[in-house]
């Protein structure tokens, strides 16, 4: 049994070496829970089998470029799709599915060319998926262009329509990366017109042009920026209120980023860019639940129902 485990570890190391441009030995020690000496012995076995392993000081180990199974011809879009799939599956709730998918991807990436491995390495910090993700969600077509422009450091022009529904305006941005949050895809970029970092919902980008101009500014990774600037972002919320009671919300609605309202028959649609925690909005809106509906986003409506059920259960037990 021990020999079988050793064989599986060595084979896995071989695929890992093929799938990466370099591989730190510390990562292998942590992954397989073995000592440095054991990894060196595994390297020695691979070398005796004819696998040319080389080391690069300060980075790690790799297989001599060109020594691999005949590489498949992956397109640029397919390489991007592999990286996106990997990010999504890391958030999969089922451990066995996540683990098996990781092994499949390792074998796929082992047949990439060197420049494709490097591209995957650079793209890792250009896509950020914060929460559990529904893989049935549609991925906008512009994502490939945005990810590529963020890696190539090319200025990008976007025609963007804001939450108020105003006339779309042209923005020149320095793309940092793309992330998914609350069921929507966003571009995080440095906006030249605002001279600051901003996020843009992809479904509100009307047009996109990647310019043949480069930006020189070195931006932090998207996960660090997202964490640091998250307090500056907002949740877009839409509610519908019985027209006769809409004025009751006007007392406090500005505290939750009120944007505008539209009268539709007997109801009033209100739009918010909520910078507070979304749960704070939900609990405030509970006061008007008998005369209104929380329309979007869906996950907040579900949170509202959970709170209502818990409250009814609590009242029923007293």
């Amino acid at each position: 049994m021990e020999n079988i485990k050793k064989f599986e570890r060595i084979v896995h190391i071989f695929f890992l070496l093929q799938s990466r441009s370099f591989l730190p030995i510390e990562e292998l020690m942590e992954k397989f829970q073995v000592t440095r000496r054991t990894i060196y012995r595994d390297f020695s076995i691979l070398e005796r089998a004819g696998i040319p392993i080389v080391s690069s000081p300060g980075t790690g180990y790799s297989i001599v470029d060109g020594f691999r199974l005949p590489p498949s011809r992956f397109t640029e879009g397919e390489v991007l799709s592999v990286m996106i799939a990997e990010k999504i599956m890391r958030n999969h709730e089922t451990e066995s599915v996540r683990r098996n998918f990781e092994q499949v991807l390792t074998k796929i990436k082992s047949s990439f060319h060197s420049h494709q491995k490097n591209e995957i390495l650079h793209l890792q910090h250009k896509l950020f998926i914060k929460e559990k993700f529904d893989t049935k969600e549609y991925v906008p077509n512009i994502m490939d262009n945005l990810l590529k422009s963020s890696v190539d450091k090319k200025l990008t022009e976007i025609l963007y329509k804001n939450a108020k529904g105003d006339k779309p305006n042209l923005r020149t941005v320095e793309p940092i990366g793309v992330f998914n949050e609350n069921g929507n895809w966003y571009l995080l970029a440095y906006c030249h017109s605002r001279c600051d970092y901003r996020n843009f919902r992809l479904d509100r980008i009307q047009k996109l042009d990647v310019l043949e101009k480069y930006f020189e500014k070195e931006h932090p990774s998207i996960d660090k920026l997202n964490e640091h600037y998250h307090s500056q972002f907002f949740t877009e919320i839409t509610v519908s209120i019985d027209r006769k009671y809409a004025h009751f919300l006007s007392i406090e609605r500005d505290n939750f980023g009120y944007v505008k309202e539209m009268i539709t028959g007997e109801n009033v649609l209100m739009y918010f860019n909520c910078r507070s925690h979304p749960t704070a909005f939900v609990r405030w809106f509970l006061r008007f639940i008998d005369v209104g509906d929380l329309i979007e986003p869906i996950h907040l409506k579900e949170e509202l129902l959970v709170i209502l059920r818990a409250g009814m259960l609590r009242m029923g037990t007293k």
Side-chain angles (χ1 to χ4, degrees), residues 231-242:
S231 60
Q232 299 184 21
F233 299 156
F234 50 79
T235 303
E236 296 174 327
I237 302 174
T238 304
V239 301
S240 176
I241 299 292
D242 189 313

Side-chain angles (χ1 to χ4, degrees), residues 139-155:
V139 179
N141 292 330
I142 60 175
M143 184 179 292
D144 288 1
N145 287 330
L146 290 173
L147 288 171
K148 191 70 169 61
S149 61
S150 66
V151 171
D152 294 340
K153 300 185 70 172
K154 285 187 175 181
L155 290 174

Side-chain angles (χ1 to χ4, degrees), residues 128 130 176 179 181 188 190 196-199 219-234 275:
F128 179 60
K130 184 177 180 181
I176 311 302
F179 68 95
E181 188 170 80
L188 176 58
Y190 184 84
D196 199 1
Y197 295 102
R198 289 289 188 272
N199 62 327
H219 299 288
S221 64
I222 187 171
D223 51 345
K224 291 186 180 298
L225 271 177
N226 190 280
E227 180 180 355
H228 184 72
Y229 289 94
H230 192 269
S231 60
Q232 299 184 21
F233 299 156
F234 50 79
R275 297 183 184 276

Side-chain angles (χ1 to χ4, degrees), residues 63-81:
I63 294 177
V64 171
D65 193 29
F67 186 90
R68 62 178 64 84
L69 297 174
S72 301
R73 289 183 174 85
F74 289 95
T75 65
E76 188 176 82
E78 289 169 341
V79 173
L80 286 172
S81 296

Side-chain angles (χ1 to χ4, degrees), residues 109-135:
K109 289 191 292 183
S110 70
S111 63
F112 281 176
H113 287 286
S114 293
H115 74 276
Q116 291 173 325
K117 293 181 193 175
N118 287 325
E119 187 173 12
I120 283 284
L121 182 65
H122 292 138
L123 283 169
Q124 289 298 321
H125 304 295
K126 300 298 182 182
L127 180 68
F128 179 60
I129 299 177
K130 184 177 180 181
E131 301 172 349
K132 301 297 181 185
F133 182 70
D134 183 356
T135 55

Side-chain angles (χ1 to χ4, degrees), residues 177-194:
V178 177
F179 68 95
N180 180 276
E181 188 170 80
N182 298 331
N184 293 307
W185 285 99
Y186 293 86
L187 163 69
L188 176 58
Y190 184 84
C191 179
H192 283 199
S193 60
R194 299 292 187 267

Side-chain angles (χ1 to χ4, degrees), residues 248-276:
F248 286 109
L249 277 73
S250 62
I251 301 173
E252 297 178 337
R253 66 187 184 186
D254 287 339
N255 296 335
F256 295 93
Y258 169 76
V259 176
K260 66 174 183 178
E261 68 182 38
M262 293 177 57
I263 298 176
T264 58
E266 295 301 315
N267 297 312
V268 176
L269 286 176
M270 291 188 183
Y271 300 87
F272 297 81
N273 288 341
C274 181
R275 297 183 184 276
S276 305

